[in-house]
Amino acid sequence: MPVMKGLLAPQNTFLDTIATRFDGTHSNFILANAQVLKGFPIVYCSDGFCELTGCSRAEVMQKSCACKFLYGPETSESIILSIGNALEERKEFKDEIMFYKKTAVLFWCLLDIVPIKNEKGDVVLFLASFKDITDTKAKAIQEDKKEGQCVRASMSHERWVVLLVRWILMFHRREKGERLCNVFGDPPALPEYKVADAKKSKFILLHYSTFKAGWDWLILLATFYVAVTVPYNVCFIGDDDDLTRSTTVSDIAVEILFIIDIVFNFRTSYVSKSGQVIFDARQICIHYLTTWFVIDLVAALPFDLLYAFKVSVVSVVHLLKTVRLLRLLRLLQKMDRYSQHSTVVLTLLMSMFALLAHWMACIWYIIGKMEIEANAYNWDIGWLHELGKRLESPYFAEGEVNGTSNGPPIRSVYIASLYFTLSSLTSVGFGNVSANTDIEKIFSICVMLIGALMHALVFGNVTAIIQRMYSRWSQYHTRTKDLKDFIRVHHLPQSVKQRMLEYFQTTWSVNNGIDCNELLKDFPDELRSDITMHLNKEILELSLFASASRGCLRSLSLHIKTSFCAPGEYLLRQGDALQAIFFVCSGSMEVLKDGMVLAILGKGDLIGANLSLDDRVIKTNADVKALTYCDLQCVNLRGLYEVLDLYPEYSQNFVQDIQQDLTYNLREGHETHVSPEYCPSGSEITLGISVSPVQTQPDRLQQYTHTHTICRGTFRGN
């Protein structure tokens, strides 16, 4: 049962934590990189800072966090020096300073710079917050003017300076006191700038865990049980104490399961709208209380305990039990989990169809029972009366002679009701159980209309699901038929026909008809390169690519394709222009020249030629033919040259290393020399094959079983 797991990877939530901390107070802050010594550039700027200064984010980013662009004529030189020293020493700084907005408007600002450390204790960021205190300072100045107007008139310039310093210290203490006015008298600790796993209590259930998946299946079965038994007990058993209730124990067990499920839901993680997995118990409780709690609680009310304590119940209690059917709404919520499994969806749709027929059968019985109880003058024309006469268990009116019969048994009545509703939903019925009264006919019309809707909804989906289940099989046969029609229309020879069919069947068995290039083309290059690196990791692990950077390997992996060769197929012909370098993943191949075997190649061999960055046209000097079904990985030469041009530091290493890594060199001028040894006519001839160690390996030649007979002779590798 696939479940959306949400975003669970370890993350750095520093920025979210900082934004949450400043939310509601003042959100005017910037973050600067403390590891870049030259100016400590700004790496993040809040919207509040932009509104305060009038600068856009683009104008602020990468500038020094000392905010020199806010300095002006009235900005204190001593404070500027203090800011620079605090940044250099990675220390906290807090003071008042006069800044200028982009519009040249002066404002007083309380600047607070705090260093942020990572998990290693290194200072990696500076957090600088800005608080506009212009209004506060203006009020303080006005008060000072009123109190000491006469004194200030006679003060000298030096005394003005002393008073200003005194006022700054007083205001600084006031602001510091406001900052420390929490419960313990200490400022809240800043978060560390580090990547951390999501913290989860051991009492929190993961919504995608195996246990939760199994529990959901158990609750699903219990929900279906309730959907079947509750309507049956309400309609067929009701308040009749003469009928034994065999489901009391199971009903109580289901109620207990529902209550336990409510407890589990209060401790189960969920995925938020942003895709994050929520582990916080308080948020989980609030989310559950505002979504499914009421429905689950009503569905879990223990009505069946009344039967366990032998308390007489009335019909209203039976009807209240139908609210448990609201539990089915939870099933609709989880339908997307099952959508990937056609068999599960098919089973659920058919179960829902049967469940609907069951509910209709219960209503059909209630209608017949009401006709008997309410319409005393024409009670004998209802479908229940007709069924009783047919089964020789008739219903009798009150006061009628031999009126002790209660009609057919409940089991027979239920089967007849289910038979009628199923036949009406799937067809037009067969008439052996039919509607006679007006109410019964109206109900039958409704059932037929619902049946038409169910045919369009359920069976339409069933058809689509079955087609989807066999779509790959159908595609294979369609492609095979198209291939055979192509061969027949163009009168291809039998040998070519056999080769085409074998190649198609082989490739289909390997990749199941999936075109990797078509499948991956819509993915971003970053993700596609990661996928192709995994698919081609076998060839990329060769020593040939050991000195390549990761970026080079990622670019190179995009130019590696998969190819197949059937037995007897030629991979290359002598004199062809070499288009790729081939790596044998499985199977065996032979290198031929003028009908003579020059080398036998198997798994792990590299076939190609030594490359030159100047002469990029390479002609092959031999044929390469498949002996068995071969799985190959091909490095396209055009793409390879493009990558080498992008990474010139690796290109020289590649040109040098490929000569040693090639199992066989197909470049003209590196031919293998074959010299036949003379022997008398009719005797065994041994052709000595002189092959360089780079070109082939003796153990593979000894395993080669493909034999050529010339004058009753054989090839033998020397």
Side-chain angles (χ1 to χ4, degrees), residues 319-368:
L319 293 176
L320 287 175
K321 291 172 61 177
T322 57
V323 298
R324 292 183 182 174
L325 300 181
L326 294 174
R327 192 82 190 190
L328 291 173
L329 296 176
R330 300 293 298 270
L331 177 62
L332 298 177
Q333 179 201 22
K334 300 176 181 179
M335 278 297 292
D336 58 334
R337 300 185 182 181
Y338 314 108
S339 60
Q340 297 177 352
H341 303 281
S342 300
T343 306
V344 176
V345 175
L346 181 61
T347 303
L348 288 176
L349 287 176
M350 296 307 298
S351 299
M352 293 300 295
F353 185 80
L355 190 62
L356 179 63
H358 168 75
W359 292 348
M360 293 296 179
C362 295
I363 299 175
W364 179 244
Y365 170 75
I366 288 295
I367 291 175

Side-chain angles (χ1 to χ4, degrees), residues 613-633:
L613 298 178
D614 299 325
D615 183 13
R616 300 191 175 187
V617 179
I618 303 172
K619 296 297 182 66
T620 58
N621 58 17
D623 300 330
V624 180
K625 182 181 179 182
L627 297 173
T628 62
Y629 290 106
C630 297
D631 184 7
L632 306 169
Q633 287 182 321

Side-chain angles (χ1 to χ4, degrees), residues 147 203 235 301 334 497 512 524 560 564 628 685:
E147 293 177 358
F203 300 107
C235 297
L301 292 177
K334 300 176 181 179
K497 171 186 176 181
N512 204 22
I560 301 177
F564 305 96
T628 62
I685 299 177

Side-chain angles (χ1 to χ4, degrees), residues 120-136:
K120 297 180 180 179
D122 300 329
V123 177
V124 294
L125 291 174
F126 285 118
L127 170 63
S129 63
F130 301 79
K131 186 175 182 180
D132 189 353
I133 58 173
T134 305
D135 295 339
T136 305

Side-chain angles (χ1 to χ4, degrees), residues 189-202:
L190 287 171
E192 291 183 334
Y193 187 76
K194 63 180 182 180
V195 176
D197 292 321
K199 295 182 179 179
K200 180 186 77 69
S201 171
K202 61 181 180 180

Side-chain angles (χ1 to χ4, degrees), residues 168-426:
I168 290 175
L169 291 175
M170 179 184 67
F171 189 84
H172 183 66
R173 291 194 199 99
R174 184 186 305 170
E175 290 295 328
K176 187 175 181 181
E178 291 176 358
R179 183 186 178 195
L180 303 180
C181 63
N182 54 25
V183 178
F184 300 102
D186 295 326
L190 287 171
E192 291 183 334
Y193 187 76
K194 63 180 182 180
V195 176
D197 292 321
K199 295 182 179 179
K200 180 186 77 69
S201 171
K202 61 181 180 180
F203 300 107
I204 297 295
L205 289 175
L206 297 177
H207 64 283
Y208 56 87
S209 63
T210 305
F211 172 79
K212 190 61 170 64
W215 179 260
D216 286 344
W217 275 109
L218 181 61
I219 294 298
L220 176 64
L221 295 177
T223 304
F224 268 107
Y225 170 82
V226 167
V228 172
T229 58
V230 168
Y232 180 84
N233 291 334
V234 170
C235 297
F236 285 89
I237 296 180
D239 301 331
D240 196 347
D241 296 332
D242 297 333
L243 298 175
T244 59
R245 288 180 52 85
S246 59
T247 61
T248 302
V249 177
S250 57
D251 289 345
I252 295 176
V254 167
E255 290 171 353
I256 294 174
L257 282 178
F258 285 166
I259 293 174
I260 296 175
D261 184 59
I262 292 177
V263 176
F264 282 170
N265 284 328
F266 275 113
R267 308 299 295 177
T268 302
S269 62
Y270 70 96
V271 182
S272 65
K273 293 181 179 180
S274 62
Q276 302 291 333
V277 179
I278 305 301
F279 297 103
D280 182 66
R282 182 174 177 273
Q283 295 186 44
I284 292 174
C285 292
I286 295 175
H287 176 263
Y288 182 53
L289 287 172
T290 55
T291 51
W292 292 99
F293 172 72
V294 176
I295 293 176
D296 290 349
L297 180 63
V298 174
L301 292 177
F303 296 112
D304 291 289
L305 290 178
L306 299 176
Y307 296 105
F309 292 103
K310 297 183 178 180
V311 178
S312 60
V313 295
V314 295
S315 299
V316 177
V317 176
H318 289 292
L319 293 176
L320 287 175
K321 291 172 61 177
T322 57
V323 298
R324 292 183 182 174
L325 300 181
L326 294 174
R327 192 82 190 190
L328 291 173
L329 296 176
R330 300 293 298 270
L331 177 62
L332 298 177
Q333 179 201 22
K334 300 176 181 179
M335 278 297 292
D336 58 334
R337 300 185 182 181
Y338 314 108
S339 60
Q340 297 177 352
H341 303 281
S342 300
T343 306
V344 176
V345 175
L346 181 61
T347 303
L348 288 176
L349 287 176
M350 296 307 298
S351 299
M352 293 300 295
F353 185 80
L355 190 62
L356 179 63
H358 168 75
W359 292 348
M360 293 296 179
C362 295
I363 299 175
W364 179 244
Y365 170 75
I366 288 295
I367 291 175
K369 187 177 180 181
M370 290 174 58
E371 290 288 332
I372 292 178
E373 294 177 351
N375 301 323
Y377 61 93
N378 62 350
W379 65 272
D380 57 343
I381 65 171
W383 77 270
L384 274 178
H385 180 75
E386 294 294 333
L387 178 66
K389 290 193 298 183
R390 191 176 297 112
L391 297 179
E392 298 181 353
S393 297
Y395 290 90
F396 293 102
E398 295 182 3
E400 189 175 347
V401 180
N402 298 328
T404 58
S405 175
N406 292 325
I410 291 297
R411 177 173 174 271
S412 298
V413 173
Y414 172 72
I415 293 175
S417 300
L418 186 62
Y419 166 77
F420 170 76
T421 54
L422 272 175
S423 61
S424 298
L425 288 172
T426 56

Side-chain angles (χ1 to χ4, degrees), residues 7-28:
L7 305 179
L8 293 169
Q11 335 173 32
N12 192 325
T13 58
F14 169 80
L15 193 59
D16 293 338
T17 307
I18 290 296
T20 304
R21 180 190 175 197
F22 280 96
D23 187 24
T25 55
H26 61 286
S27 58
N28 313 326

